[in-house]
Amino acid sequence: MKAFRLDELEAERAANEGAYLQFLREQNMSVGLYALDAGDQDPQKPHNQDEVYFVVSGRAAITVGLETTQVARGSVIYVPAGVAHKFHHITEDLRVLVVFSPPER
């Protein structure tokens, strides 16, 4: 078993001064913590893997392909591989768990 605490992951991510911290990588998936502060721009480009986002905290909009929706704590978003997507209009610091399958390279 591997177990993680969100507060410890956030501290590690902040200490590394990056928006993304991959904290689990297995044969069929990887998981990370993605952080964007209020007002930030999301620099993501489409990925080669399917993704699932789980919003831990914050508020924003996300556009996936041509669809846009508002997200907040508890939102779950699926993004198919290769589809353009971005968080935007981030009004509260956003913390998101990201699951990639297969694992992000």
Side-chain angles (χ1 to χ4, degrees), residues 15-68:
N16 290 325
E17 299 180 3
Y20 184 71
L21 171 72
Q22 180 177 280
F23 61 89
L24 180 65
R25 183 179 179 82
E26 298 295 333
Q27 182 177 348
N28 295 314
M29 66 176 217
S30 61
V31 184
L33 176 64
Y34 190 42
L36 294 166
D37 290 337
D40 280 356
Q41 299 294 314
D42 184 358
Q44 292 192 82
K45 300 204 181 319
H47 304 283
N48 295 322
Q49 305 83 3
D50 287 340
E51 294 176 80
V52 173
Y53 290 113
F54 174 73
V55 178
V56 175
S57 62
R59 290 186 178 278
I62 187 171
T63 298
V64 177
L66 300 175
E67 296 180 82
T68 299

Side-chain angles (χ1 to χ4, degrees), residues 40 42 59-63 68-70 86-91:
D40 280 356
D42 184 358
R59 290 186 178 278
I62 187 171
T63 298
T68 299
T69 191
Q70 299 297 311
K86 290 207 183 289
F87 289 99
H88 52 92
H89 296 94
I90 303 166
T91 58

Side-chain angles (χ1 to χ4, degrees), residues 73-91:
R73 181 178 169 211
S75 297
V76 178
I77 306 99
Y78 167 69
V79 180
V83 175
H85 58 285
K86 290 207 183 289
F87 289 99
H88 52 92
H89 296 94
I90 303 166
T91 58

